[in-house]
Amino acid sequence: MKQRRFYPVLLLFAVLLFTAVFSCKHDASPAKHTKVSHDSAYARFDVAQTFYNNNEHDSLIAVAPEILEFLRDNEEWQLYYILWQYVAEDYVWFNEFDEATREALAMQEDAIARNDSFGIAMSYGVQGTAYLVQDVYDEAQRCYKNFIQIYPNTDRDGPITEVYYFYYQCLENNKDTAAIESLLKDWALLLKGLSPTKDPDQLMAYASWHLKYFRRQFTYYISKDSLAQATRVLDSITKYTELSGNVIVEQINTIDDRCKLAMAKGDYPAALRYANENLERAIGDVGNKRMVLMNRSKVYEKLGLYPEALADLRASEALKDSVNQANNREQLNRLNKRFSLNELQSQNKLLKQRSRFTTGGVAMILGIGALLVFLVLNSRWNRRMQIKNMQLQRERNVVVAQNKQLAIERDHAEAASKAKTAFMQSITHEIRTPLNAINGFTQVLTMKDIELPDAERMDFCERIQENTRLLTTILDDLILISDFESGAELPESELCVVSAIVSQATDAVRSNVAKTVELDCQSSLPVEQTIDSYPRMIHIVLAKLLDNAAKFTTIGTITLKVDQEDDALHFSVIDTGPGIPPEKKDFIFERFTKLDNFIQGTGLGLTIARMIAERIGGTLTLDTNYTSGAKFDFILPIK
């Protein structure tokens, strides 16, 4: 009898507990937003926009979900998609392309479901920017083209003017001149439809849009060597720089444009004045200072001030390394902060849930039945805690792995920086040695109170010529490396006589061969045989191989053999020098590698030879089976 009376009591407690829990959950749920004024919505949007403009990534990501929900509930769709674009693009600027792509596709899906062309266009803009930052220009161009086609007629001109700016960069990298001219015309029509305003904030935006257009137009005219048109455009750039409020960045860019125009006109003293003026303005801004140093080094090079040019390049590289290291540190700190924030949010959420259940239990648990129910809930709670802990541990492991990867990348960056420093020291020494010789012998020859015998004077002149040739070779090698790394296009192929190329290559290095060494050429090809190829490139490869053999061969022979094997020419350079150990067969082709540091040279000869050989479709290898010296095989397919 007593047992049957207990069941209603337990049932009553369970009902009361269910009511309390339901009430807690109901009270804790957020209230539905009612529509508010546009100004109130924009005030919230402006908070996130400020974080975006100031590169405060973590703050933007923290406030964005709540503000996006607010804008969606109040149907402020343009602000909604612009803020979503900010979130996705912020991931792009921090190289988190997976997150950026996920946000862009989610935005596109949302906009398509609402049939909102503005939102669809903004999603294409984000995708285009992500591809552009990763140098995938064709895909970026496709996305920007879709943006322009879809973007609706609206009073918001900022997004589409930005897209034109980035679209131009894609076309410029793809060297699509016709498309660039068409884009500039469409862009000009768009800007022509904008009405000037007296409002200070809108005036600055209006000026900024025009600045972007005229800077791209200026770049285009400079690339075409249309200097008169570039000069007229520079006047417009100056006008809109003043209207933009003379922001320091815009001032630096405008003076840099003047420097480029002076360089294009050959007025290098004026270009140097502009570069020096910009360097004073760029103090405190590492990015702009590095750009100004690189530009000034080019001016110094045109003026023949090679030590100053080299010093600016070294300073620019040092700033680049410091920026990379700072970015690595910032990314590590950001990941650590994000992990800490996620951990705190998870703990806060769990504490809120515990507080809600505890409040309901304290208010409604009055007996043994409620205590049993609470124990059941607590058991489930512990299980959820275990699952959450496992999830947190997995996230922690991911962050630790990322930290290790970033540390490895940081070590690689530091190693690369040390290698660059060693190279700059080496190249400085290699350049200084012939310069010192030229300077010394020139001073002796120009002294009025010293009379030199004709033979000695002739010897001095020959030494000056030899060191001048050596210095020219070093600079030519550096320029070749730079051209290949910048992706310079090959010249058009042409018909050339093989025997003429071989003869020119041997003649070019004959003066470098020791008198105790015989330079021989053996060819099984007809004297008049021609091929459709790149004669200058083939000449450089053969000259580098012969010059390398001449450096190390002090007695014996150096032989250049030419044969045809099926559809390829086989060039072999064989010497009787000390040879190369088999384990060094790949090492010798690396940049700045020298097996004998006492022999003058930059260690770039074989690197350049292999780069050119591969660029024109051939191969260059060391024959490790040859043991009487060194033997290099250059095989070139022929049409």
Side-chain angles (χ1 to χ4, degrees), residues 25 79 139 260 270 274 406 425 481 548 574:
K25 289 184 178 180
L79 294 179
E139 287 299 316
K260 291 176 181 175
Y274 289 132
L406 287 173
Q425 293 172 346
I481 289 285
N548 180 72
I574 309 167

Side-chain angles (χ1 to χ4, degrees), residues 179-462:
I180 288 175
E181 292 176 350
S182 176
L183 179 73
L184 289 173
K185 289 179 182 177
D186 294 342
W187 196 353
L189 289 175
L190 173 68
L191 293 175
K192 189 175 181 180
L194 303 181
S195 300
T197 175
K198 294 183 179 180
D199 181 85
D201 292 335
Q202 293 184 11
L203 180 61
M204 291 178 65
Y206 176 85
S208 175
W209 298 336
H210 282 75
L211 260 180
K212 284 180 168 60
Y213 167 73
F214 285 117
R215 289 202 195 284
R216 290 305 198 194
Q217 191 181 45
F218 176 82
T219 301
Y220 175 67
Y221 285 140
I222 288 291
S223 68
K224 289 184 62 180
D225 205 26
S226 302
L227 303 186
Q229 293 171 301
T231 302
R232 288 196 297 272
V233 173
L234 188 56
D235 292 337
S236 299
I237 289 175
T238 303
K239 168 188 171 183
Y240 285 106
T241 298
E242 294 173 356
L243 290 176
S244 70
N246 275 320
V247 180
I248 188 67
V249 174
E250 299 297 353
Q251 293 178 3
I252 290 174
N253 288 335
T254 300
I255 295 173
D256 183 58
D257 289 338
R258 292 173 184 161
C259 180
K260 291 176 181 175
L261 183 59
M263 285 279 286
K265 291 180 177 179
D267 189 357
Y268 305 126
L272 183 58
R273 288 196 303 272
Y274 289 132
N276 289 333
E277 180 182 351
N278 246 357
L279 194 59
E280 294 177 1
R281 293 175 182 271
I283 291 176
D285 189 327
V286 176
N288 281 320
K289 185 175 181 181
R290 179 172 175 267
M291 176 195 73
V292 173
L293 285 171
M294 291 180 65
N295 291 340
R296 192 172 71 171
S297 72
K298 296 176 183 177
V299 180
Y300 278 140
E301 184 178 356
K302 292 292 184 181
L303 289 169
L305 302 174
Y306 299 114
E308 289 83 352
L310 187 60
D312 274 2
L313 281 176
R314 293 179 66 181
S316 173
E317 286 300 314
L319 288 176
K320 178 182 178 182
D321 292 339
S322 67
V323 169
N324 288 338
Q325 292 175 7
N327 287 339
N328 285 340
R329 287 195 298 270
E330 180 182 354
Q331 192 168 3
L332 278 170
N333 291 335
R334 194 161 53 79
L335 285 173
N336 286 327
K337 285 193 332 190
R338 182 179 298 176
F339 174 76
S340 300
L341 179 62
N342 290 340
E343 190 174 39
L344 288 173
Q345 288 175 341
S346 298
Q347 291 176 354
N348 187 47
K349 181 179 179 181
L350 294 177
L351 287 173
K352 285 182 179 179
Q353 291 176 350
R354 178 182 291 177
S355 175
R356 185 166 66 247
F357 283 115
T358 303
T359 302
V362 171
M364 305 306 301
I365 295 178
L366 301 176
I368 298 176
L371 178 61
L372 293 174
V373 174
F374 173 77
L375 291 176
V376 171
L377 293 177
N378 189 59
S379 174
R380 294 178 180 176
W381 160 254
N382 288 334
R383 177 57 182 165
R384 283 198 292 268
M385 281 289 292
Q386 291 176 357
I387 295 173
K388 289 290 184 182
N389 287 336
M390 292 172 63
Q391 292 175 345
L392 287 173
Q393 185 60 43
R394 284 196 294 268
E395 293 175 4
R396 187 192 300 273
N397 293 339
V398 170
V399 172
V400 170
Q402 291 174 339
N403 285 345
K404 289 181 179 179
Q405 182 61 33
L406 287 173
I408 292 172
E409 293 177 0
R410 179 197 60 209
D411 293 341
H412 288 170
E414 291 176 354
S417 177
K418 291 178 181 178
K420 290 177 184 176
T421 301
F423 163 64
M424 295 307 296
Q425 293 172 346
S426 173
I427 200 66
T428 301
H429 171 74
E430 296 296 340
I431 292 176
R432 185 182 292 117
T433 300
L435 281 176
N436 288 339
I438 294 170
N439 185 47
F441 287 122
T442 303
Q443 287 181 358
V444 174
L445 289 174
T446 56
M447 287 181 179
K448 296 181 180 179
D449 54 348
I450 295 180
E451 293 185 3
L452 297 173
D454 291 342
E456 191 170 354
R457 183 180 298 275
M458 182 61 69
D459 180 57
F460 284 2
C461 291
E462 290 177 354

Side-chain angles (χ1 to χ4, degrees), residues 402-593:
Q402 291 174 339
N403 285 345
K404 289 181 179 179
Q405 182 61 33
L406 287 173
I408 292 172
E409 293 177 0
R410 179 197 60 209
D411 293 341
H412 288 170
E414 291 176 354
S417 177
K418 291 178 181 178
K420 290 177 184 176
T421 301
F423 163 64
M424 295 307 296
Q425 293 172 346
S426 173
I427 200 66
T428 301
H429 171 74
E430 296 296 340
I431 292 176
R432 185 182 292 117
T433 300
L435 281 176
N436 288 339
I438 294 170
N439 185 47
F441 287 122
T442 303
Q443 287 181 358
V444 174
L445 289 174
T446 56
M447 287 181 179
K448 296 181 180 179
D449 54 348
I450 295 180
E451 293 185 3
L452 297 173
D454 291 342
E456 191 170 354
R457 183 180 298 275
M458 182 61 69
D459 180 57
F460 284 2
C461 291
E462 290 177 354
R463 289 175 181 270
I464 291 173
Q465 291 176 353
E466 173 61 23
N467 282 281
T468 301
R469 184 196 65 78
L470 178 59
L471 183 59
T472 302
T473 300
I474 292 172
L475 295 177
D476 286 344
D477 286 350
L478 292 176
I479 292 171
L480 274 173
I481 289 285
S482 176
D483 286 344
F484 279 111
E485 288 189 339
S486 64
E489 293 184 358
L490 285 171
E492 292 291 334
S493 62
E494 58 185 274
L495 282 177
C496 51
V497 180
V498 178
S499 61
I501 299 173
V502 172
S503 178
Q504 291 168 3
T506 53
D507 290 343
V509 300
R510 193 175 299 279
S511 60
N512 300 336
V513 178
K515 295 180 180 179
T516 56
V517 176
E518 179 184 355
L519 179 60
D520 186 24
C521 179
Q522 301 175 7
S523 175
S524 63
L525 276 62
V527 175
E528 68 279 2
Q529 179 165 341
T530 61
I531 60 172
D532 183 10
S533 189
Y534 308 92
R536 179 174 176 270
M537 298 299 177
I538 299 173
H539 173 271
I540 293 174
V541 175
L542 297 179
K544 292 294 183 187
L545 293 176
L546 290 169
D547 187 62
N548 180 72
K551 285 181 183 179
F552 293 96
T553 307
T554 57
I555 188 170
T557 60
I558 298 175
T559 305
L560 172 57
K561 296 181 63 177
V562 187
D563 300 296
Q564 181 170 349
E565 300 175 356
D566 297 328
D567 294 329
L569 290 182
H570 186 176
F571 300 91
S572 296
V573 176
I574 309 167
D575 64 55
T576 57
I580 300 170
E583 64 272 13
K584 302 287 187 180
K585 66 175 183 177
D586 292 320
F587 175 72
I588 58 172
F589 290 105
E590 294 181 6
R591 297 182 188 180
F592 321 123
T593 296

Side-chain angles (χ1 to χ4, degrees), residues 100-127:
T101 302
R102 180 179 61 79
E103 293 291 345
L105 294 178
M107 187 199 314
Q108 188 174 57
E109 183 179 349
D110 180 273
I112 290 173
R114 293 190 55 259
N115 195 25
D116 191 310
S117 57
F118 182 86
I120 297 172
M122 297 299 281
S123 71
Y124 276 119
V126 173
Q127 294 175 58

